[in-house]
Amino acid sequence: MTEFLLGLRLLFGSGRGNRIRFLLMAAGGSIGVCCLALVLTVPAILHAHDARAAARQPVTSAKGPADGTLVLQRDDAYGSHPFTRVFVADGIGGAHPIPPGLSELPSPGEVFVSPRVHELLREAPAVKALLPGRESGVIGPAGLAHPDELYAYVGTERAKIADEGRTLKGFGYSYAPFPAVDPSTLTDVRFALATLVLLPLGIFLSVCARLSAASRMRRLAALRLLGLSSRGTQRVNAAETVVAALLGAVLGLGEYWVLNQVMSRAGLPGLRWYPGDGAPSTTTVAICLIGCPALAWFVGRKSARDATANPLAVRRTAVPRPPSKWVGLLLLSGLGIVCGFCATGLMGHPASSLGVNALLVVAGVVLTGVGLVLTLPLLSYALARRVARTTQSLTLNLAMRRNEAEPGSTMRVVTGLVLLVYAASLAQGVLIQLEQVTRPSGPVQDYSLPLSKLGEQQQRDLTQVPGVSAHAVLMDSWVDLDAPQPDAVLSSPTALVATCAQLERMTLRTKGCVDGKVLRLVDPNSSVGSGLESGTSFPFRFRADTGQDKKLNIAVPTGQIVYSGYSGSAVGNATLLVPPSALPADARPRDAHLLLAGSSDPGRVRAVLNGIAAVVPIAEVELVGLNIQGLEQISVVETLLALGMIMGLVIGVAAFLVSVTDRAVERRAQVTAVTLIGARARTMRAVQCAQVVLPLSLGLVLALVTGKLAESSYLITGGGAVRWDVEGIPLLTLAATGVVAAAAMGSLPLVGRRIDPELIRRD
């Protein structure tokens, strides 16, 4: 305890510079702990979302008491968001189960809505048609997955839902019917967050724990020479590193609390949560308050080893030993694993991510990243030694001799930037993999709306919604179910009412289309309509303006259109192309749907759905080949990955700023000494730039190569169509160039205009 108190007295009584460095360590550590708490809390936020969704899920049975409570759940869409309505018909007598968030079940004519539906009823009164009854209350947070959810309980009569309703037994499932993120996709997201945030975070916290390492080691060596034991010297060192880390952890948790309050209320695109969901758990607090000081103690103990083992060499600034070559084994091990997976892709037999391969690919990525960081001082030492021996330039000689003497000092500045480029390459791979998993398989997304629920003006407005590139009408032929032909339903055709120009916009290519003629649609890659015989006539029903029904018989023609359709497009269900001019002028098809087509990009899909909701708020929209829950998952995944990349960028930039500030303070005496000898300020600035730029350039080249190899191994084991991300190389190269420029600019403040000889006095 005496040594610990001595360390605190030395910390606060050894000048303003040491106190500033202490605060810098604490501030840097607080940023890292804030990011760590955010990453550790993301799974808890998603789990809380799914837990509340599971707790309110009705548990039903097909057979129950005749007077039991009936329930009917409808999952529809309002724009790009799911809208869930639970119709409840209260039973006669006895206790009734109550869902979370409500104090009682709604009676017939009563409606309990979520806060977002409460606002929506005032913004779009047409939504009232979906909720028959009067608004009688608001659902509490316990009954909603997130604050912006569209959810409602509607009380109704038993007779209205007797045919489709099921007997209610209670509420609560062990799993969410539609999780916020699918478990398989969540595994990829966790891997991405660990790579983008946790790996740079460990390096950043280590950098913060080693600030002002040289001056602290000289102070510890002096104490050791005065007779303090090795363990006592370690405790003195721990007084600064551990206290700074502990203060940073407390500040970081406070910063996260404020960040959680702001973000939960403001929300992120596609992701909202209650403040309580993001509250750090006991495990998270323990990891931050115990793990971060423990990491600082470990790093400080390692850095103080020379001061305790050979204090005289530290005080006399003896030439340090070169970095160990054994650290290169980590990098070689990681590269061996990722290159092995890349080799399986080159040979045409890509490895899968099942079994032990799932662990190996993660181990390969982590070992490569950690090995890259630990090997940088060795590579910097070798580069500096070779350049210093061969160069005739004074600037390069001065720069490389300093890097040769202290390879670890420069690498603390550039490590965060190198790891940032490595993580960015991996982020590209994760984005590509998740895009192949979560996005629709084709480039076109179709939307189907019942034509009978649309007016003529609404139909015209829907075709002009921004993002809709093509439109047509799908019309089903009428089948008499009472006719003694059970196969008639199977052989009834579907007609696409469109012009040749509209058909071309909804397909990849067409051949043989003629406007004004009924033609047969033939897709060589599909068997739809292959059983239809030419000349067979099929009736289509129409509703005239007078209210009477009409029939139009359309015969299967001999002329045909050979086309190639998009994957998952509703056009593939049509077997006939009928021009709009062939339909009755005063009638509308009865069994028909309006088909809209646009880009499958999730952002465009959400924009089109919101545009449809503005025209017809209560229309039933079918996303062909995609559901609203899947679209919500895509939005959540994109938000989490964007959040991870932003945190990785913040950590990388913070590591550079903290390191370069500490280096500027620590190098002032050395810069002053060389300046007093006669070196010009311009030469010293060039020396400082060279000390950072050369090892940084070497590290960035390695980061680009190893990052692309790790990315390729991840894509190959993922089994997607893309295995070699060649298009991402120019972007990463441009980012690396920007990093070098930023590092060069950051090294210029090391040389000031004034010379203070007091800086070179002995301690």
Side-chain angles (χ1 to χ4, degrees), residues 163-198:
D163 295 336
E164 300 179 78
R166 298 171 66 90
T167 302
L168 178 65
K169 298 176 62 178
F171 291 92
Y173 271 31
S174 59
Y175 59 90
F178 301 107
V181 179
D182 188 77
S184 60
T185 305
L186 184 58
T187 302
D188 293 335
V189 173
R190 286 173 175 168
F191 172 77
L193 292 178
T195 305
L196 293 172
V197 181
L198 296 184

PDB file of all heavy atoms in Angstrom, residues 163-198:
ATOM      1  N   ASP A 163     -65.224 -18.011 -37.409  1.00  0.00           N
ATOM      2  CA  ASP A 163     -64.746 -18.940 -38.430  1.00  0.00           C
ATOM      3  C   ASP A 163     -63.218 -19.067 -38.420  1.00  0.00           C
ATOM      4  O   ASP A 163     -62.679 -20.159 -38.597  1.00  0.00           O
ATOM      5  CB  ASP A 163     -65.228 -18.495 -39.815  1.00  0.00           C
ATOM      6  CG  ASP A 163     -66.741 -18.564 -39.939  1.00  0.00           C
ATOM      7  OD1 ASP A 163     -67.354 -19.350 -39.187  1.00  0.00           O
ATOM      8  OD2 ASP A 163     -67.310 -17.819 -40.764  1.00  0.00           O
ATOM      9  N   GLU A 164     -62.508 -17.946 -38.240  1.00  0.00           N
ATOM     10  CA  GLU A 164     -61.054 -17.963 -38.327  1.00  0.00           C
ATOM     11  C   GLU A 164     -60.364 -17.895 -36.975  1.00  0.00           C
ATOM     12  O   GLU A 164     -59.184 -18.237 -36.854  1.00  0.00           O
ATOM     13  CB  GLU A 164     -60.566 -16.771 -39.175  1.00  0.00           C
ATOM     14  CG  GLU A 164     -61.103 -16.770 -40.594  1.00  0.00           C
ATOM     15  CD  GLU A 164     -60.608 -15.561 -41.365  1.00  0.00           C
ATOM     16  OE1 GLU A 164     -59.441 -15.588 -41.811  1.00  0.00           O
ATOM     17  OE2 GLU A 164     -61.372 -14.594 -41.507  1.00  0.00           O
ATOM     18  N   GLY A 165     -61.069 -17.412 -35.955  1.00  0.00           N
ATOM     19  CA  GLY A 165     -60.455 -17.246 -34.644  1.00  0.00           C
ATOM     20  C   GLY A 165     -60.138 -18.566 -33.965  1.00  0.00           C
ATOM     21  O   GLY A 165     -60.734 -19.610 -34.253  1.00  0.00           O
ATOM     22  N   ARG A 166     -59.167 -18.532 -33.052  1.00  0.00           N
ATOM     23  CA  ARG A 166     -58.775 -19.697 -32.274  1.00  0.00           C
ATOM     24  C   ARG A 166     -58.927 -19.381 -30.793  1.00  0.00           C
ATOM     25  O   ARG A 166     -58.871 -18.225 -30.372  1.00  0.00           O
ATOM     26  CB  ARG A 166     -57.327 -20.075 -32.583  1.00  0.00           C
ATOM     27  CG  ARG A 166     -57.106 -20.464 -34.046  1.00  0.00           C
ATOM     28  CD  ARG A 166     -55.629 -20.614 -34.360  1.00  0.00           C
ATOM     29  NE  ARG A 166     -55.026 -21.733 -33.643  1.00  0.00           N
ATOM     30  CZ  ARG A 166     -54.970 -22.969 -34.107  1.00  0.00           C
ATOM     31  NH1 ARG A 166     -55.491 -23.266 -35.296  1.00  0.00           N
ATOM     32  NH2 ARG A 166     -54.396 -23.936 -33.413  1.00  0.00           N
ATOM     33  N   THR A 167     -59.098 -20.428 -30.006  1.00  0.00           N
ATOM     34  CA  THR A 167     -59.307 -20.249 -28.571  1.00  0.00           C
ATOM     35  C   THR A 167     -58.010 -19.807 -27.896  1.00  0.00           C
ATOM     36  O   THR A 167     -56.953 -20.419 -28.081  1.00  0.00           O
ATOM     37  CB  THR A 167     -59.794 -21.557 -27.942  1.00  0.00           C
ATOM     38  OG1 THR A 167     -61.002 -21.973 -28.591  1.00  0.00           O
ATOM     39  CG2 THR A 167     -60.061 -21.369 -26.459  1.00  0.00           C
ATOM     40  N   LEU A 168     -58.109 -18.749 -27.120  1.00  0.00           N
ATOM     41  CA  LEU A 168     -56.940 -18.193 -26.446  1.00  0.00           C
ATOM     42  C   LEU A 168     -56.678 -18.940 -25.142  1.00  0.00           C
ATOM     43  O   LEU A 168     -57.555 -19.047 -24.282  1.00  0.00           O
ATOM     44  CB  LEU A 168     -57.169 -16.701 -26.172  1.00  0.00           C
ATOM     45  CG  LEU A 168     -56.058 -15.967 -25.423  1.00  0.00           C
ATOM     46  CD1 LEU A 168     -54.785 -15.924 -26.264  1.00  0.00           C
ATOM     47  CD2 LEU A 168     -56.500 -14.549 -25.057  1.00  0.00           C
ATOM     48  N   LYS A 169     -55.462 -19.438 -24.988  1.00  0.00           N
ATOM     49  CA  LYS A 169     -55.071 -20.128 -23.759  1.00  0.00           C
ATOM     50  C   LYS A 169     -54.182 -19.257 -22.878  1.00  0.00           C
ATOM     51  O   LYS A 169     -54.108 -19.460 -21.672  1.00  0.00           O
ATOM     52  CB  LYS A 169     -54.318 -21.414 -24.109  1.00  0.00           C
ATOM     53  CG  LYS A 169     -55.158 -22.410 -24.897  1.00  0.00           C
ATOM     54  CD  LYS A 169     -54.338 -23.622 -25.312  1.00  0.00           C
ATOM     55  CE  LYS A 169     -53.803 -24.392 -24.127  1.00  0.00           C
ATOM     56  NZ  LYS A 169     -53.053 -25.601 -24.551  1.00  0.00           N
ATOM     57  N   GLY A 170     -53.488 -18.324 -23.476  1.00  0.00           N
ATOM     58  CA  GLY A 170     -52.610 -17.454 -22.710  1.00  0.00           C
ATOM     59  C   GLY A 170     -51.708 -16.669 -23.654  1.00  0.00           C
ATOM     60  O   GLY A 170     -51.902 -16.646 -24.872  1.00  0.00           O
ATOM     61  N   PHE A 171     -50.718 -16.017 -23.062  1.00  0.00           N
ATOM     62  CA  PHE A 171     -49.757 -15.237 -23.841  1.00  0.00           C
ATOM     63  C   PHE A 171     -48.345 -15.629 -23.425  1.00  0.00           C
ATOM     64  O   PHE A 171     -48.072 -15.866 -22.249  1.00  0.00           O
ATOM     65  CB  PHE A 171     -49.959 -13.731 -23.613  1.00  0.00           C
ATOM     66  CG  PHE A 171     -51.234 -13.188 -24.189  1.00  0.00           C
ATOM     67  CD1 PHE A 171     -52.391 -13.125 -23.427  1.00  0.00           C
ATOM     68  CD2 PHE A 171     -51.278 -12.743 -25.502  1.00  0.00           C
ATOM     69  CE1 PHE A 171     -53.560 -12.621 -23.948  1.00  0.00           C
ATOM     70  CE2 PHE A 171     -52.450 -12.244 -26.038  1.00  0.00           C
ATOM     71  CZ  PHE A 171     -53.596 -12.177 -25.267  1.00  0.00           C
ATOM     72  N   GLY A 172     -47.461 -15.691 -24.409  1.00  0.00           N
ATOM     73  CA  GLY A 172     -46.062 -15.941 -24.102  1.00  0.00           C
ATOM     74  C   GLY A 172     -45.511 -17.184 -24.759  1.00  0.00           C
ATOM     75  O   GLY A 172     -45.981 -18.297 -24.487  1.00  0.00           O
ATOM     76  N   TYR A 173     -44.542 -16.992 -25.650  1.00  0.00           N
ATOM     77  CA  TYR A 173     -43.809 -18.081 -26.287  1.00  0.00           C
ATOM     78  C   TYR A 173     -42.373 -18.055 -25.773  1.00  0.00           C
ATOM     79  O   TYR A 173     -41.905 -17.056 -25.215  1.00  0.00           O
ATOM     80  CB  TYR A 173     -43.822 -17.922 -27.806  1.00  0.00           C
ATOM     81  CG  TYR A 173     -44.994 -18.579 -28.508  1.00  0.00           C
ATOM     82  CD1 TYR A 173     -46.237 -18.702 -27.893  1.00  0.00           C
ATOM     83  CD2 TYR A 173     -44.862 -19.089 -29.785  1.00  0.00           C
ATOM     84  CE1 TYR A 173     -47.303 -19.294 -28.525  1.00  0.00           C
ATOM     85  CE2 TYR A 173     -45.941 -19.687 -30.441  1.00  0.00           C
ATOM     86  CZ  TYR A 173     -47.149 -19.781 -29.806  1.00  0.00           C
ATOM     87  OH  TYR A 173     -48.206 -20.379 -30.446  1.00  0.00           O
ATOM     88  N   SER A 174     -41.684 -19.139 -25.994  1.00  0.00           N
ATOM     89  CA  SER A 174     -40.275 -19.195 -25.603  1.00  0.00           C
ATOM     90  C   SER A 174     -39.365 -18.568 -26.643  1.00  0.00           C
ATOM     91  O   SER A 174     -38.165 -18.425 -26.415  1.00  0.00           O
ATOM     92  CB  SER A 174     -39.848 -20.649 -25.367  1.00  0.00           C
ATOM     93  OG  SER A 174     -40.045 -21.430 -26.543  1.00  0.00           O
ATOM     94  N   TYR A 175     -39.909 -18.193 -27.778  1.00  0.00           N
ATOM     95  CA  TYR A 175     -39.114 -17.593 -28.853  1.00  0.00           C
ATOM     96  C   TYR A 175     -39.963 -16.541 -29.554  1.00  0.00           C
ATOM     97  O   TYR A 175     -41.200 -16.576 -29.514  1.00  0.00           O
ATOM     98  CB  TYR A 175     -38.659 -18.648 -29.865  1.00  0.00           C
ATOM     99  CG  TYR A 175     -39.796 -19.399 -30.523  1.00  0.00           C
ATOM    100  CD1 TYR A 175     -40.378 -18.943 -31.697  1.00  0.00           C
ATOM    101  CD2 TYR A 175     -40.313 -20.559 -29.936  1.00  0.00           C
ATOM    102  CE1 TYR A 175     -41.436 -19.613 -32.288  1.00  0.00           C
ATOM    103  CE2 TYR A 175     -41.369 -21.240 -30.519  1.00  0.00           C
ATOM    104  CZ  TYR A 175     -41.919 -20.761 -31.701  1.00  0.00           C
ATOM    105  OH  TYR A 175     -42.973 -21.432 -32.278  1.00  0.00           O
ATOM    106  N   ALA A 176     -39.294 -15.586 -30.180  1.00  0.00           N
ATOM    107  CA  ALA A 176     -39.999 -14.541 -30.915  1.00  0.00           C
ATOM    108  C   ALA A 176     -40.375 -15.060 -32.301  1.00  0.00           C
ATOM    109  O   ALA A 176     -39.552 -15.693 -32.976  1.00  0.00           O
ATOM    110  CB  ALA A 176     -39.120 -13.302 -31.046  1.00  0.00           C
ATOM    111  N   PRO A 177     -41.609 -14.818 -32.757  1.00  0.00           N
ATOM    112  CA  PRO A 177     -42.000 -15.306 -34.096  1.00  0.00           C
ATOM    113  C   PRO A 177     -41.184 -14.655 -35.208  1.00  0.00           C
ATOM    114  O   PRO A 177     -40.866 -15.288 -36.206  1.00  0.00           O
ATOM    115  CB  PRO A 177     -43.480 -14.925 -34.182  1.00  0.00           C
ATOM    116  CG  PRO A 177     -43.659 -13.819 -33.196  1.00  0.00           C
ATOM    117  CD  PRO A 177     -42.687 -14.075 -32.102  1.00  0.00           C
ATOM    118  N   PHE A 178     -40.846 -13.379 -35.029  1.00  0.00           N
ATOM    119  CA  PHE A 178     -40.020 -12.660 -36.012  1.00  0.00           C
ATOM    120  C   PHE A 178     -38.904 -11.957 -35.242  1.00  0.00           C
ATOM    121  O   PHE A 178     -39.086 -10.831 -34.766  1.00  0.00           O
ATOM    122  CB  PHE A 178     -40.857 -11.642 -36.794  1.00  0.00           C
ATOM    123  CG  PHE A 178     -42.009 -12.245 -37.545  1.00  0.00           C
ATOM    124  CD1 PHE A 178     -43.304 -12.070 -37.103  1.00  0.00           C
ATOM    125  CD2 PHE A 178     -41.789 -12.992 -38.690  1.00  0.00           C
ATOM    126  CE1 PHE A 178     -44.370 -12.623 -37.782  1.00  0.00           C
ATOM    127  CE2 PHE A 178     -42.847 -13.554 -39.387  1.00  0.00           C
ATOM    128  CZ  PHE A 178     -44.147 -13.371 -38.928  1.00  0.00           C
ATOM    129  N   PRO A 179     -37.754 -12.610 -35.065  1.00  0.00           N
ATOM    130  CA  PRO A 179     -36.667 -11.975 -34.303  1.00  0.00           C
ATOM    131  C   PRO A 179     -36.153 -10.725 -34.991  1.00  0.00           C
ATOM    132  O   PRO A 179     -36.273 -10.571 -36.216  1.00  0.00           O
ATOM    133  CB  PRO A 179     -35.592 -13.070 -34.255  1.00  0.00           C
ATOM    134  CG  PRO A 179     -35.887 -13.965 -35.409  1.00  0.00           C
ATOM    135  CD  PRO A 179     -37.377 -13.929 -35.593  1.00  0.00           C
ATOM    136  N   ALA A 180     -35.596  -9.814 -34.190  1.00  0.00           N
ATOM    137  CA  ALA A 180     -35.047  -8.576 -34.749  1.00  0.00           C
ATOM    138  C   ALA A 180     -33.959  -8.874 -35.763  1.00  0.00           C
ATOM    139  O   ALA A 180     -33.856  -8.205 -36.794  1.00  0.00           O
ATOM    140  CB  ALA A 180     -34.508  -7.689 -33.626  1.00  0.00           C
ATOM    141  N   VAL A 181     -33.139  -9.871 -35.478  1.00  0.00           N
ATOM    142  CA  VAL A 181     -32.102 -10.325 -36.408  1.00  0.00           C
ATOM    143  C   VAL A 181     -32.086 -11.844 -36.362  1.00  0.00           C
ATOM    144  O   VAL A 181     -32.070 -12.430 -35.275  1.00  0.00           O
ATOM    145  CB  VAL A 181     -30.709  -9.767 -36.041  1.00  0.00           C
ATOM    146  CG1 VAL A 181     -29.656 -10.276 -37.016  1.00  0.00           C
ATOM    147  CG2 VAL A 181     -30.728  -8.241 -36.052  1.00  0.00           C
ATOM    148  N   ASP A 182     -32.117 -12.469 -37.529  1.00  0.00           N
ATOM    149  CA  ASP A 182     -32.088 -13.924 -37.599  1.00  0.00           C
ATOM    150  C   ASP A 182     -30.830 -14.458 -36.918  1.00  0.00           C
ATOM    151  O   ASP A 182     -29.753 -13.857 -37.020  1.00  0.00           O
ATOM    152  CB  ASP A 182     -32.112 -14.362 -39.061  1.00  0.00           C
ATOM    153  CG  ASP A 182     -32.278 -15.859 -39.201  1.00  0.00           C
ATOM    154  OD1 ASP A 182     -33.398 -16.344 -39.034  1.00  0.00           O
ATOM    155  OD2 ASP A 182     -31.265 -16.527 -39.480  1.00  0.00           O
ATOM    156  N   PRO A 183     -30.924 -15.590 -36.173  1.00  0.00           N
ATOM    157  CA  PRO A 183     -29.748 -16.102 -35.445  1.00  0.00           C
ATOM    158  C   PRO A 183     -28.517 -16.314 -36.319  1.00  0.00           C
ATOM    159  O   PRO A 183     -27.395 -16.003 -35.907  1.00  0.00           O
ATOM    160  CB  PRO A 183     -30.259 -17.427 -34.864  1.00  0.00           C
ATOM    161  CG  PRO A 183     -31.729 -17.232 -34.718  1.00  0.00           C
ATOM    162  CD  PRO A 183     -32.137 -16.360 -35.873  1.00  0.00           C
ATOM    163  N   SER A 184     -28.685 -16.838 -37.520  1.00  0.00           N
ATOM    164  CA  SER A 184     -27.524 -17.050 -38.386  1.00  0.00           C
ATOM    165  C   SER A 184     -26.912 -15.724 -38.820  1.00  0.00           C
ATOM    166  O   SER A 184     -25.683 -15.575 -38.880  1.00  0.00           O
ATOM    167  CB  SER A 184     -27.935 -17.862 -39.621  1.00  0.00           C
ATOM    168  OG  SER A 184     -28.939 -17.182 -40.361  1.00  0.00           O
ATOM    169  N   THR A 185     -27.764 -14.744 -39.105  1.00  0.00           N
ATOM    170  CA  THR A 185     -27.251 -13.428 -39.473  1.00  0.00           C
ATOM    171  C   THR A 185     -26.621 -12.733 -38.276  1.00  0.00           C
ATOM    172  O   THR A 185     -25.625 -12.016 -38.410  1.00  0.00           O
ATOM    173  CB  THR A 185     -28.389 -12.559 -40.038  1.00  0.00           C
ATOM    174  OG1 THR A 185     -29.016 -13.251 -41.120  1.00  0.00           O
ATOM    175  CG2 THR A 185     -27.870 -11.229 -40.524  1.00  0.00           C
ATOM    176  N   LEU A 186     -27.183 -12.959 -37.071  1.00  0.00           N
ATOM    177  CA  LEU A 186     -26.631 -12.344 -35.866  1.00  0.00           C
ATOM    178  C   LEU A 186     -25.210 -12.827 -35.601  1.00  0.00           C
ATOM    179  O   LEU A 186     -24.377 -12.071 -35.095  1.00  0.00           O
ATOM    180  CB  LEU A 186     -27.536 -12.659 -34.667  1.00  0.00           C
ATOM    181  CG  LEU A 186     -27.157 -12.003 -33.330  1.00  0.00           C
ATOM    182  CD1 LEU A 186     -27.134 -10.486 -33.468  1.00  0.00           C
ATOM    183  CD2 LEU A 186     -28.117 -12.431 -32.233  1.00  0.00           C
ATOM    184  N   THR A 187     -24.912 -14.076 -35.962  1.00  0.00           N
ATOM    185  CA  THR A 187     -23.544 -14.578 -35.812  1.00  0.00           C
ATOM    186  C   THR A 187     -22.573 -13.779 -36.673  1.00  0.00           C
ATOM    187  O   THR A 187     -21.474 -13.411 -36.220  1.00  0.00           O
ATOM    188  CB  THR A 187     -23.486 -16.068 -36.203  1.00  0.00           C
ATOM    189  OG1 THR A 187     -24.396 -16.805 -35.376  1.00  0.00           O
ATOM    190  CG2 THR A 187     -22.083 -16.614 -36.021  1.00  0.00           C
ATOM    191  N   ASP A 188     -22.978 -13.484 -37.908  1.00  0.00           N
ATOM    192  CA  ASP A 188     -22.132 -12.672 -38.777  1.00  0.00           C
ATOM    193  C   ASP A 188     -21.978 -11.260 -38.232  1.00  0.00           C
ATOM    194  O   ASP A 188     -20.893 -10.663 -38.315  1.00  0.00           O
ATOM    195  CB  ASP A 188     -22.718 -12.620 -40.190  1.00  0.00           C
ATOM    196  CG  ASP A 188     -22.681 -13.980 -40.878  1.00  0.00           C
ATOM    197  OD1 ASP A 188     -21.830 -14.803 -40.505  1.00  0.00           O
ATOM    198  OD2 ASP A 188     -23.499 -14.215 -41.781  1.00  0.00           O
ATOM    199  N   VAL A 189     -23.049 -10.719 -37.672  1.00  0.00           N
ATOM    200  CA  VAL A 189     -22.982  -9.363 -37.125  1.00  0.00           C
ATOM    201  C   VAL A 189     -22.042  -9.322 -35.921  1.00  0.00           C
ATOM    202  O   VAL A 189     -21.251  -8.382 -35.764  1.00  0.00           O
ATOM    203  CB  VAL A 189     -24.396  -8.884 -36.742  1.00  0.00           C
ATOM    204  CG1 VAL A 189     -24.334  -7.554 -36.006  1.00  0.00           C
ATOM    205  CG2 VAL A 189     -25.261  -8.743 -37.979  1.00  0.00           C
ATOM    206  N   ARG A 190     -22.118 -10.327 -35.063  1.00  0.00           N
ATOM    207  CA  ARG A 190     -21.211 -10.368 -33.909  1.00  0.00           C
ATOM    208  C   ARG A 190     -19.756 -10.463 -34.352  1.00  0.00           C
ATOM    209  O   ARG A 190     -18.873  -9.811 -33.784  1.00  0.00           O
ATOM    210  CB  ARG A 190     -21.571 -11.563 -33.019  1.00  0.00           C
ATOM    211  CG  ARG A 190     -22.842 -11.363 -32.205  1.00  0.00           C
ATOM    212  CD  ARG A 190     -23.233 -12.628 -31.483  1.00  0.00           C
ATOM    213  NE  ARG A 190     -24.371 -12.415 -30.604  1.00  0.00           N
ATOM    214  CZ  ARG A 190     -25.060 -13.382 -30.023  1.00  0.00           C
ATOM    215  NH1 ARG A 190     -24.719 -14.659 -30.238  1.00  0.00           N
ATOM    216  NH2 ARG A 190     -26.071 -13.113 -29.232  1.00  0.00           N
ATOM    217  N   PHE A 191     -19.513 -11.280 -35.368  1.00  0.00           N
ATOM    218  CA  PHE A 191     -18.154 -11.398 -35.888  1.00  0.00           C
ATOM    219  C   PHE A 191     -17.683 -10.057 -36.438  1.00  0.00           C
ATOM    220  O   PHE A 191     -16.535  -9.640 -36.217  1.00  0.00           O
ATOM    221  CB  PHE A 191     -18.109 -12.463 -36.982  1.00  0.00           C
ATOM    222  CG  PHE A 191     -16.800 -12.530 -37.716  1.00  0.00           C
ATOM    223  CD1 PHE A 191     -15.695 -13.127 -37.139  1.00  0.00           C
ATOM    224  CD2 PHE A 191     -16.678 -11.989 -38.989  1.00  0.00           C
ATOM    225  CE1 PHE A 191     -14.486 -13.190 -37.808  1.00  0.00           C
ATOM    226  CE2 PHE A 191     -15.479 -12.047 -39.670  1.00  0.00           C
ATOM    227  CZ  PHE A 191     -14.379 -12.649 -39.073  1.00  0.00           C
ATOM    228  N   ALA A 192     -18.578  -9.361 -37.141  1.00  0.00           N
ATOM    229  CA  ALA A 192     -18.208  -8.063 -37.710  1.00  0.00           C
ATOM    230  C   ALA A 192     -17.915  -7.046 -36.613  1.00  0.00           C
ATOM    231  O   ALA A 192     -16.924  -6.306 -36.684  1.00  0.00           O
ATOM    232  CB  ALA A 192     -19.328  -7.560 -38.624  1.00  0.00           C
ATOM    233  N   LEU A 193     -18.766  -6.997 -35.580  1.00  0.00           N
ATOM    234  CA  LEU A 193     -18.542  -6.045 -34.506  1.00  0.00           C
ATOM    235  C   LEU A 193     -17.261  -6.355 -33.735  1.00  0.00           C
ATOM    236  O   LEU A 193     -16.537  -5.439 -33.323  1.00  0.00           O
ATOM    237  CB  LEU A 193     -19.747  -6.040 -33.557  1.00  0.00           C
ATOM    238  CG  LEU A 193     -21.051  -5.476 -34.118  1.00  0.00           C
ATOM    239  CD1 LEU A 193     -22.159  -5.568 -33.091  1.00  0.00           C
ATOM    240  CD2 LEU A 193     -20.870  -4.039 -34.560  1.00  0.00           C
ATOM    241  N   ALA A 194     -16.998  -7.651 -33.533  1.00  0.00           N
ATOM    242  CA  ALA A 194     -15.759  -8.022 -32.843  1.00  0.00           C
ATOM    243  C   ALA A 194     -14.539  -7.592 -33.646  1.00  0.00           C
ATOM    244  O   ALA A 194     -13.541  -7.114 -33.093  1.00  0.00           O
ATOM    245  CB  ALA A 194     -15.737  -9.528 -32.594  1.00  0.00           C
ATOM    246  N   THR A 195     -14.608  -7.749 -34.960  1.00  0.00           N
ATOM    247  CA  THR A 195     -13.473  -7.378 -35.814  1.00  0.00           C
ATOM    248  C   THR A 195     -13.341  -5.873 -35.929  1.00  0.00           C
ATOM    249  O   THR A 195     -12.237  -5.323 -35.853  1.00  0.00           O
ATOM    250  CB  THR A 195     -13.646  -7.997 -37.205  1.00  0.00           C
ATOM    251  OG1 THR A 195     -13.813  -9.410 -37.072  1.00  0.00           O
ATOM    252  CG2 THR A 195     -12.433  -7.726 -38.067  1.00  0.00           C
ATOM    253  N   LEU A 196     -14.473  -5.192 -36.115  1.00  0.00           N
ATOM    254  CA  LEU A 196     -14.436  -3.758 -36.348  1.00  0.00           C
ATOM    255  C   LEU A 196     -14.169  -2.954 -35.085  1.00  0.00           C
ATOM    256  O   LEU A 196     -13.593  -1.864 -35.155  1.00  0.00           O
ATOM    257  CB  LEU A 196     -15.762  -3.289 -36.960  1.00  0.00           C
ATOM    258  CG  LEU A 196     -16.087  -3.780 -38.364  1.00  0.00           C
ATOM    259  CD1 LEU A 196     -17.500  -3.383 -38.744  1.00  0.00           C
ATOM    260  CD2 LEU A 196     -15.112  -3.205 -39.369  1.00  0.00           C
ATOM    261  N   VAL A 197     -14.592  -3.474 -33.925  1.00  0.00           N
ATOM    262  CA  VAL A 197     -14.545  -2.677 -32.701  1.00  0.00           C
ATOM    263  C   VAL A 197     -13.617  -3.281 -31.655  1.00  0.00           C
ATOM    264  O   VAL A 197     -12.702  -2.614 -31.162  1.00  0.00           O
ATOM    265  CB  VAL A 197     -15.967  -2.496 -32.118  1.00  0.00           C
ATOM    266  CG1 VAL A 197     -15.921  -1.640 -30.869  1.00  0.00           C
ATOM    267  CG2 VAL A 197     -16.888  -1.872 -33.143  1.00  0.00           C
ATOM    268  N   LEU A 198     -13.836  -4.547 -31.300  1.00  0.00           N
ATOM    269  CA  LEU A 198     -13.111  -5.110 -30.166  1.00  0.00           C
ATOM    270  C   LEU A 198     -11.619  -5.252 -30.432  1.00  0.00           C
ATOM    271  O   LEU A 198     -10.793  -4.994 -29.543  1.00  0.00           O
ATOM    272  CB  LEU A 198     -13.715  -6.462 -29.790  1.00  0.00           C
ATOM    273  CG  LEU A 198     -15.164  -6.427 -29.293  1.00  0.00           C
ATOM    274  CD1 LEU A 198     -15.616  -7.803 -28.857  1.00  0.00           C
ATOM    275  CD2 LEU A 198     -15.317  -5.433 -28.148  1.00  0.00           C
TER     276      LEU A 198
END
